[in-house]
Amino acid sequence: MTWRPYYQGNGERYQGDLPVPPPWRFASTKQSARTFRPPDGLAEAVNAALCLRRPLLLTGAPGTGKSTVATSVAYELDLGDVLHWHVTSRSTLTEALYRYDALGRLDATRHDEPDDIGRFLQLGPLGTALMEQDRPRMLLIDEIDKSDIDLPSDLLNVIESGEFEIPELTRHAQEKVQVRLWDGNTTGTVHRGRVKCTKFPFIVMTNNGERSFPPPFLRRCIRFEMPAPDADSLADIVRAHLGDQLTQQANDLLTEFEHRIGRNESLATDQLLNALHLVIREAASNDEERARLVKLVLRDLSSA
């Protein structure tokens, strides 16, 4: 297999098979957990957060594996699928707790449909994590530093109490209402408009270091700094994904990546894996073409 046959820009139709994506591109939870290589000290931080029932705040540059920590922990501790809340500057605490389709309910009423309020409610990722269940859930709050300035403090109140209220249900005549959960079409029962966890969720929050947080927020978290990978950890990660037998070209690329990291260039580990995949699996036809592909993939993340 070579790189050239897929697209050549000459208007000619290509009828052959398209390339198979790298195994990590659509990896299962099991695959991601088994190929993850935690840095020194991370296991202690995870266990401390677990024992104290405190959120784990992971800080580090993009591509250092912060989000993968949640997948790894959820798999090893059998916490089910990761509930993912990706935070932006427009994110609100309410949307993470529940969503209410008021217009949909009004439209149903106009069409004389039964007033089943549960049809128009869905718990968000945080709300689902706080539902009654036999085993804790894993909640990933991704890029908390992108949030509005007040969101971390608002989040603390819910995390501390482990419960919240849905006003639309506290005023409803039914004592028990079935509402949809965030992950799929499953439902859960909300009693008198209140959700209170029985098993406190494991919460991982990621932070790219773009802002500071108030001391009351930080003291309620277990904090861990994800280090930039060194030569040994990079080699472990590469072997976990690509096996022990690497070509000389792959070893040269690994050495080049290590040197660039040492010069404080902003590069992510998955960029290295992608470059290695092109060099090893796709077998560019010559050194010049290979160099262009590597340059294309291994661009510094601090520049556009």
Side-chain angles (χ1 to χ4, degrees):
M1 181 184 296
T2 61
W3 178 261
R4 285 193 181 277
Y6 307 121
Y7 172 75
Q8 300 187 53
N10 58 10
E12 298 293 328
R13 299 291 293 274
Y14 172 71
Q15 300 296 332
D17 293 333
L18 294 177
V20 176
W24 54 85
R25 181 65 181 86
F26 300 104
S28 66
T29 300
K30 182 178 180 180
Q31 289 173 311
S32 296
R34 289 190 169 181
T35 55
F36 178 64
R37 296 296 182 265
D40 290 341
L42 176 62
E44 288 82 358
V46 168
N47 288 317
L50 179 66
C51 291
L52 297 173
R53 295 301 192 272
R54 291 294 187 185
L56 177 64
L57 178 62
L58 300 175
T59 301
T64 50
K66 300 186 297 297
S67 300
T68 312
V69 173
T71 303
S72 176
V73 174
Y75 177 76
E76 289 200 16
L77 300 185
D78 194 21
L79 304 183
D81 293 335
V82 176
L83 297 164
H84 191 179
W85 179 25
H86 186 83
V87 175
T88 71
S89 60
R90 299 179 300 278
S91 296
T92 65
L93 178 62
T94 299
E95 74 178 27
L97 294 174
Y98 73 97
R99 320 284 174 92
Y100 174 54
D101 183 7
L103 293 178
R105 187 183 178 202
L106 177 62
D107 185 65
T109 303
R110 289 173 175 171
H111 289 84
D112 296 324
E113 296 180 19
D115 185 21
D116 179 10
I117 191 173
R119 290 170 50 203
F120 307 100
L121 278 164
Q122 182 180 24
L123 296 187
L126 175 57
T128 299
L130 294 175
M131 280 292 288
E132 293 184 16
Q133 40 217 332
D134 297 330
R135 197 164 181 81
R137 293 297 304 270
M138 166 62 72
L139 172 64
L140 172 62
I141 303 178
D142 212 2
E143 299 190 332
I144 185 69
D145 51 325
K146 296 284 199 308
S147 70
D148 174 85
I149 192 170
D150 293 325
L151 182 59
S153 298
D154 295 340
L155 184 60
L156 279 183
N157 296 327
V158 175
I159 290 177
E160 284 294 289
S161 64
E163 63 180 316
F164 67 96
E165 180 180 89
I166 302 177
E168 291 82 359
L169 293 185
T170 58
R171 300 189 295 265
H172 199 264
Q174 289 179 258
E175 181 178 322
K176 299 180 181 180
V177 176
Q178 290 290 116
V179 301
R180 288 177 298 140
L181 304 184
W182 184 248
D183 46 350
N185 296 318
T186 54
T187 62
T189 304
V190 177
H191 300 264
R192 296 178 179 175
R194 296 201 67 81
V195 174
K196 183 175 178 62
C197 69
T198 51
K199 299 291 184 179
F200 196 82
F202 193 106
I203 300 175
V204 171
M205 296 185 285
T206 70
N207 166 33
N208 291 326
E210 296 184 4
R211 61 174 281 195
S212 58
F213 296 98
F217 177 80
L218 294 177
R219 75 176 178 83
R220 289 172 169 86
C221 300
I222 300 298
R223 290 176 281 166
F224 183 80
E225 183 86 25
M226 295 290 285
D230 57 20
D232 290 338
S233 61
L234 281 174
D236 285 343
I237 293 169
V238 169
R239 284 194 293 266
H241 286 279
L242 299 174
D244 292 328
Q245 301 300 320
L246 298 181
T247 65
Q248 185 58 49
Q249 293 168 340
N251 283 315
D252 290 345
L253 182 56
L254 179 57
T255 300
E256 178 190 345
F257 188 86
E258 293 167 3
H259 289 162
R260 292 180 63 181
I261 290 289
R263 296 196 297 266
N264 294 321
E265 290 190 45
S266 181
L267 295 168
T269 306
D270 63 342
Q271 288 177 280
L272 172 62
L273 293 173
N274 290 336
L276 286 169
H277 179 76
L278 294 181
V279 168
I280 296 173
R281 300 286 186 256
E282 293 297 329
S285 59
N286 56 61
D287 290 342
E288 183 180 349
E289 184 176 61
R290 187 179 299 110
R292 289 201 302 268
L293 290 174
V294 169
K295 182 178 180 181
L296 181 69
V297 175
L298 290 184
R299 295 187 62 181
D300 192 307
L301 298 175
S302 62
S303 59

